[in-house]
Amino acid sequence: MQNKVDVLLATYNGEKYLEEQIESILNQTYKNIQLIISDDCSTDGTRDILKKYEQDERVKIFYQEKNLGYIKNFEFLLKNVESNLYMLSDQDDIWKKEKIDKSVEKLEKENLDLVFGDLEVVDGNLNTIYESFDKYMKLDRKINKCIGNYKLQYLYNCMTGCTILSKKELLDKILPLPTKSKYMVHDYWIGLMVALNGKVGYIKEPLIRYRQHGNNQIGTGKETYKYKKLENVRNLFIEVKLGIFTAYVENEDKFPNDLKKQNKEALEYYKMILKKKNFNFRGWNIFFKLYKDETFMYFIENFIILNMPFLGKIAFAIRYKILKLLGKRD
């Protein structure tokens, strides 16, 4: 008998693509599902679309009276998980028919606690932009190297939330979700907590058509591409890590003792280098601990950006001009 799967769908002003997404979930080859939807005070036609499904016994809908924001909306859904297995869903994608089937098969066959996977990136009309999201974002090498280890999720997020299937039994390790940093999003935290406390697996096959249409909360855009100066990139890098490690320190009870210490050291390191504009000769030991499992080029690039920005400014300016000539920058 199939184990029941709760699919958690957070909606907010998603009328344009919502019905397509709901239908792609309800028409999965895997039939034992419950679709739990929480609408976060939509002001467009989203609630009219949802009302069409109120009589479907497979669908359970909550209408929030106060806007929660997308992280708290997902937290609300996680608190309302009823089945032993749950999945996360965005409101504007298309799930391939065998997505749930293949995810459950992988999780059960390998006795995993969480499964995530790749995505096919498409435009608003479902034309393919990138066949593999993970290759485009250069996450595939990190995933292949660190799958089964907490380091997969520790320094940056390698999991896209809408690909996740996980077990309810680990929700006590996950909740509540951190909300103070915009860079510590729900899927990042879920993936890290399960990687710290359970076993994670990866499906290389894209099972979602991941729609990019300009209004996504989180998409494929690389924010650093818009910057013309290295200092802007550096400030963003530091801001992101400050947000992440602040969340780690504020939730230190979720981490083993060795990581508690490392989290605090990392937070102090990023606070310190924020004040260093040209060179930094302190804290290289914690930098090495954090980045030693990255690729050689990623390690070197980040070392120069964070600790030797003066040396990188000229190289960055030249690189930017070349990429602009090639049409790869605005």
Side-chain angles (χ1 to χ4, degrees):
M1 181 178 177
Q2 290 181 330
N3 286 312
K4 195 169 188 178
V5 177
D6 286 350
V7 180
L8 312 181
L9 173 56
T11 62
Y12 177 71
N13 289 350
E15 63 177 356
K16 188 172 183 180
Y17 303 113
L18 178 59
E19 195 160 0
E20 277 186 283
Q21 172 66 317
I22 291 175
E23 290 297 320
S24 78
I25 294 170
L26 296 179
N27 289 305
Q28 290 282 299
T29 56
Y30 195 97
K31 299 303 180 185
N32 193 13
I33 67 171
Q34 176 177 223
L35 176 58
I36 306 177
I37 303 172
S38 174
D39 183 67
D40 199 18
C41 300
S42 291
T43 56
D44 63 354
T46 293
R47 293 197 171 190
D48 293 330
I49 293 170
L50 295 180
K51 289 183 185 299
K52 298 178 184 178
Y53 296 92
E54 288 181 340
Q55 302 308 312
D56 192 317
E57 62 182 12
R58 299 169 294 175
V59 181
K60 185 175 184 179
I61 305 174
F62 296 93
Y63 299 102
Q64 300 298 333
E65 296 181 357
K66 181 181 178 181
N67 186 268
L68 302 174
Y70 75 96
I71 292 179
K72 279 295 183 182
N73 200 18
F74 269 114
E75 181 176 272
F76 173 86
L77 285 165
L78 290 168
K79 289 179 178 178
N80 282 277
V81 168
E82 299 174 357
S83 305
N84 291 329
L85 300 175
Y86 69 89
M87 304 181 82
L88 307 181
S89 173
D90 292 338
Q91 64 184 353
D92 45 14
D93 302 324
I94 298 289
W95 284 19
K96 297 183 180 181
K97 287 189 174 183
E98 67 279 11
K99 171 175 161 51
I100 300 179
D101 244 326
K102 291 187 175 183
S103 298
V104 173
E105 180 184 12
K106 173 85 170 178
L107 183 133
E108 293 181 343
K109 185 177 181 180
E110 300 183 19
N111 192 28
L112 303 169
D113 297 293
L114 182 148
V115 170
F116 73 106
D118 202 353
L119 315 94
E120 174 192 357
V121 182
V122 300
D123 63 18
N125 296 315
L126 301 180
N127 299 307
T128 301
I129 304 173
Y130 307 109
E131 292 183 356
S132 168
F133 173 81
D134 291 335
K135 286 182 180 179
Y136 169 70
M137 298 296 286
K138 298 181 180 178
L139 298 172
D140 52 330
R141 286 174 291 183
K142 178 69 175 285
I143 292 169
N144 292 332
K145 184 176 182 179
C146 294
I147 194 70
N149 190 304
Y150 79 90
K151 293 177 182 178
L152 174 73
Q153 285 290 103
Y154 183 68
L155 197 57
Y156 52 85
N157 187 18
C158 288
M159 295 186 194
T160 307
C162 56
T163 70
I164 287 175
L165 165 73
S166 192
K167 293 180 178 177
K168 178 182 179 181
E169 64 193 56
L170 288 177
L171 283 176
D172 65 321
K173 305 291 186 182
I174 295 167
L175 297 174
L177 299 176
T179 58
K180 292 184 180 179
S181 170
K182 65 179 180 179
Y183 301 109
M184 178 49 66
V185 292
H186 60 289
D187 50 0
Y188 193 159
W189 185 254
I190 291 170
L192 177 59
M193 290 299 105
V194 177
L196 279 169
N197 296 282
K199 188 178 178 183
V200 174
Y202 177 64
I203 299 175
K204 292 183 179 180
E205 178 186 358
L207 295 174
I208 292 180
R209 306 187 81 182
Y210 188 47
R211 195 174 339 226
Q212 300 299 294
H213 50 82
N215 295 317
N216 305 62
Q217 284 276 24
I218 300 173
T220 62
K222 294 188 177 181
E223 192 171 348
T224 56
Y225 281 7
K226 68 183 180 181
Y227 294 132
K228 299 179 181 180
K229 295 182 179 180
L230 182 66
E231 49 261 47
N232 299 127
V233 175
R234 184 175 188 266
N235 288 339
L236 176 63
F237 280 15
I238 296 172
E239 180 186 348
V240 170
K241 292 301 187 287
L242 284 173
I244 290 167
F245 283 102
T246 296
Y248 291 175
V249 171
E250 290 180 346
N251 294 274
E252 67 172 6
D253 59 308
K254 301 286 188 179
F255 292 86
N257 288 332
D258 58 334
L259 286 185
K260 287 180 184 178
K261 180 181 178 183
Q262 182 169 293
N263 293 340
K264 291 176 181 177
E265 289 177 354
L267 180 58
E268 292 307 311
Y269 167 75
Y270 285 106
K271 286 180 178 179
M272 180 265 296
I273 62 171
L274 183 62
K275 302 173 184 178
K276 305 285 187 176
K277 302 303 180 183
N278 293 307
F279 294 100
N280 170 59
F281 296 99
R282 296 170 54 203
W284 287 10
N285 59 326
I286 187 64
F287 176 90
F288 179 77
K289 285 181 184 178
L290 296 175
Y291 288 86
K292 65 181 180 179
D293 293 306
E294 303 301 323
T295 64
F296 177 74
M297 284 305 301
Y298 190 86
F299 180 97
I300 293 299
E301 287 176 358
N302 277 271
F303 182 82
I304 292 173
I305 289 171
L306 296 175
N307 295 296
M308 299 289 170
F310 181 79
L311 299 179
K313 288 178 182 179
I314 296 174
F316 183 88
I318 294 171
R319 179 173 177 267
Y320 182 88
K321 289 180 180 179
I322 292 172
L323 291 173
K324 189 172 183 179
L325 288 172
L326 294 173
K328 295 182 178 181
R329 296 290 187 274
D330 295 330

